[in-house]
Amino acid sequence: RFHSFIPTHLIRKNEEVDYSDLGEFVVKNNLHGSSVEAFLYEYNIQSGYNISIYYANKLLGYIILHYTKKSNVISETDLAFLRIIATQAGIALHQANLYKITQTQAETEKFNRKILEILRNTLDKNTIKHLFVVNIGKYFKADRVFFVDYDFKLNVYLPIDSYSEYLSGPEEKSFV
């Protein structure tokens, strides 16, 4: 619903959209009879202002102000303040994305350390296979994980054994 409201021809130009006079805005942007005009009237928008939120030339979102009680003109001082807020929001959103990436990398590193610890603590093939499938299954939230051994002499895959399979719950059918 929201996407039908934003005049995309204005956003593509990275223009700030100021519609302090709704009728004038509709005429100026040739929106008469459009879904944008219908949206504006359906939600009783008298005036508003849109500003894009960017970080490093990448669009991250919008700050949109609507006034439904009366038409409102935003002062240049308030517009400058809103632009500062949009800039700061872009930085904050970018930092939040970086933090999410860092968290994912830390989880992956923790998983890698866990797998390496398994290899260091045992030389028993069945224990290694069992710990691998369990940890991989839990990490990736898989319903089933299994190792398939390959016999190069016979040129065949070997049947799956109980050490080589992880099932997330009793409802999962085993390949063993």
Side-chain angles (χ1 to χ4, degrees):
R1 186 77 201 163
F2 171 75
H3 293 290
S4 66
F5 158 67
I6 297 177
T8 54
H9 67 285
L10 296 176
I11 291 168
R12 280 190 214 114
K13 295 179 191 174
N14 191 25
E15 292 182 16
E16 295 176 2
V17 182
D18 182 356
Y19 38 104
S20 55
D21 180 326
L22 184 58
E24 183 182 303
F25 177 75
V26 168
V27 171
K28 179 182 172 186
N29 292 287
N30 196 25
L31 299 173
H32 187 66
S34 71
S35 61
V36 173
E37 180 187 36
F39 177 90
L40 292 167
Y41 286 113
E42 179 182 346
Y43 286 90
N44 195 32
I45 298 166
Q46 300 298 313
S47 61
Y49 191 81
N50 300 359
I51 187 168
S52 303
I53 300 171
Y54 278 90
Y55 183 82
N57 295 324
K58 180 180 179 189
L59 178 64
L60 302 177
Y62 306 95
I63 295 175
I64 300 173
L65 305 175
H66 285 167
Y67 296 93
T68 61
K69 305 283 188 270
K70 62 182 174 94
S71 189
N72 194 37
V73 176
I74 301 172
S75 71
E76 276 305 314
T77 303
D78 287 341
L79 287 177
F81 181 58
L82 190 56
R83 289 179 192 114
I84 291 168
I85 291 170
T87 300
Q88 294 302 312
I91 292 167
L93 290 169
H94 176 71
Q95 288 175 336
N97 286 337
L98 289 177
Y99 179 70
K100 187 176 180 179
I101 290 167
T102 301
Q103 276 185 313
T104 302
Q105 289 171 337
E107 288 173 14
T108 302
E109 183 58 34
K110 183 178 174 183
F111 178 70
N112 285 339
R113 282 194 306 273
K114 197 173 201 176
I115 295 297
L116 288 173
E117 191 63 29
I118 290 168
L119 289 172
R120 289 184 189 136
N121 288 331
T122 185
L123 295 175
D124 180 56
K125 181 180 176 181
N126 288 333
T127 301
I128 291 171
K129 289 193 307 184
H130 177 71
L131 291 172
F132 267 37
V133 293
V134 167
N135 282 286
I136 290 169
K138 288 180 179 178
Y139 180 82
F140 288 103
K141 296 175 182 75
D143 296 319
R144 181 184 303 110
V145 176
F146 52 89
F147 275 138
V148 178
D149 289 315
Y150 187 77
D151 187 326
F152 287 97
K153 290 179 185 173
L154 299 174
N155 201 25
V156 295
Y157 293 101
L158 301 175
I160 298 169
D161 59 44
S162 61
Y163 297 104
S164 301
E165 182 179 56
Y166 163 80
L167 303 174
S168 64
E171 67 280 356
E172 301 304 328
K173 186 173 180 176
S174 175
F175 280 32
V176 175

